[in-house]
Structures are given as C-alpha cells and as structure tokens.
Amino acid sequence: MAIKENPFTTTSMNKTIFRLSFSLCIFALLSSCMNVRPGGAKSGKKLYETFFVGDEGTQYFIKPLAFTNERNEELKLDFTFRYRNEIKDSAAINASFISNDLIRNIDSLKIMNNSVNIALKDMTYMFSERKKDAYNNRFSAKTDLLKVTKLFNGNDWQIWMYENGKQTRYAAAKKTEKSLAKLSQEVFVLFK
C-alpha cells in the first residue's frame, strides 16, 4: 500500500512558496522590461509645448535653452510663436541672463549661425530677481519668425550680448546642441 504525502507538510509548503515566489519574480522582471525605452527613442516633447489657438493655428513654446559665457554665467533663451500653414508671424524671444551682476539695460543681443544673423536691438527689460548668489535678469524682444526657423536649421549658434561697450560671447553646451538638433527635426521641419 502506497503512502500518500500530506499536502500540508513543511517540504510541500516550501515547494509551493518557492514556486509562487519564483513566478512573481519572473512576472516582475518581464513587466519592468516592458517599461524601458531605448536610448535613441527619446522624444523632444520635453523641449517644447504646443497649444491650439483656433483660427490662428498652433502656438509653440520652446522651453529655455542654456548657453554659458567664459565666466560660467548662463543665458537661457526661450521662444514663443504661432504657426498656421505659412510663416507670416513674429516670434517672441525671451532672454534670462543668470549673472553675478544686476543687468537692467543691454544694447543688443545677436544670435547667429551659418544661415542667419538676428540682431535684437530693442530688448525690453522685464525684471531682475535674486536667486541664491546670482541675479536672473529677464529681457524680451520680437523678431521675424522666418529668421527663427533659419536659426533652428543648424546647431552652430553664436550669441553675443552687448552692454555698455562690452561684448560677451555665449556658447551652447553639448546638451543644448543636441536639443537644437532635436527641435529642428521635430518642430521646425514642419515649417518648410
């Protein structure tokens, strides 16, 4: 006569717990792999926002792009413009100079690449605020949207700020250069 194994013995319960734990681990591993995105598939959506504005088309907001000068001070540029079927509007360019100095007046700001040279001579001072050990000096200006689209055709930007007879050069970091290329591919390619 064969002896039946008691299903509630310690050995049987350990096997059941082991199988259940093993199954849960495999499930967790497989589900976590499903959430991983490949590195090359990152979206540029973190770089801009769009808003539908009815008959005027779509409003685009290009989030701040960072540039630095030789003193490690930062310039952040953001862009706002509207587009519908053709390039005919202007674009607002906002500039934040993160500096050790309080800046309330600049003579001009030049943004250029191999395709275009944008000279912003009438920049409106918006405000200055203290953040930790630096000032955020904010300015705004308008320019032709066609020039902005040409600017985003390349990531070889050169930026010069002219203030009281001094000129300061700002350069793009590698991350900003990648952002400019991504914006060209995802936003400005639509305007050709």
Side-chain angles (χ1 to χ4, degrees), residues 9-31:
T9 64
T10 305
T11 307
S12 176
M13 286 182 73
N14 284 344
K15 286 181 185 178
T16 305
I17 290 172
F18 175 76
R19 286 180 186 147
L20 182 60
S21 298
F22 183 74
S23 298
L24 287 173
C25 287
I26 295 295
F27 176 74
L29 181 65
L30 290 175
S31 66

Side-chain angles (χ1 to χ4, degrees), residues 51-66:
F51 309 93
F52 180 67
V53 287
D55 292 340
E56 295 181 43
T58 302
Q59 180 166 307
Y60 291 83
F61 173 66
I62 307 298
K63 294 180 181 179
L65 300 164

Side-chain angles (χ1 to χ4, degrees), residues 61-62 64-65 75-80 91-97 109 111 120 123-124 126 137-142:
F61 173 66
I62 307 298
L65 300 164
L75 164 62
K76 293 183 179 180
L77 294 177
D78 62 77
F79 300 80
T80 305
I93 300 177
N94 297 311
S96 289
F97 297 93
L109 183 70
I111 311 167
L120 305 171
M123 295 204 70
T124 303
M126 295 170 65
N137 304 289
R138 186 94 162 140
F139 292 84
S140 184
K142 287 199 175 216

Side-chain angles (χ1 to χ4, degrees), residues 1-109:
M1 180 160 112
I3 300 175
K4 286 189 174 180
E5 185 178 315
N6 183 353
F8 299 107
T9 64
T10 305
T11 307
S12 176
M13 286 182 73
N14 284 344
K15 286 181 185 178
T16 305
I17 290 172
F18 175 76
R19 286 180 186 147
L20 182 60
S21 298
F22 183 74
S23 298
L24 287 173
C25 287
I26 295 295
F27 176 74
L29 181 65
L30 290 175
S31 66
S32 68
C33 289
M34 300 285 224
N35 292 328
V36 175
R37 287 175 47 185
K42 289 184 181 172
S43 170
K45 287 285 188 180
K46 292 183 179 179
L47 302 173
Y48 66 95
E49 294 179 10
T50 58
F51 309 93
F52 180 67
V53 287
D55 292 340
E56 295 181 43
T58 302
Q59 180 166 307
Y60 291 83
F61 173 66
I62 307 298
K63 294 180 181 179
L65 300 164
F67 302 84
T68 55
N69 65 17
E70 67 278 353
R71 293 176 23 191
N72 269 342
E73 295 175 326
E74 201 170 32
L75 164 62
K76 293 183 179 180
L77 294 177
D78 62 77
F79 300 80
T80 305
F81 56 89
R82 292 181 176 178
Y83 175 80
R84 181 176 180 210
N85 300 330
E86 61 182 321
I87 299 172
K88 62 179 182 179
D89 201 3
S90 62
I93 300 177
N94 297 311
S96 289
F97 297 93
I98 314 300
S99 172
N100 296 326
D101 301 321
L102 187 61
I103 303 170
R104 291 199 173 120
N105 187 23
I106 61 173
D107 301 325
S108 64
L109 183 70

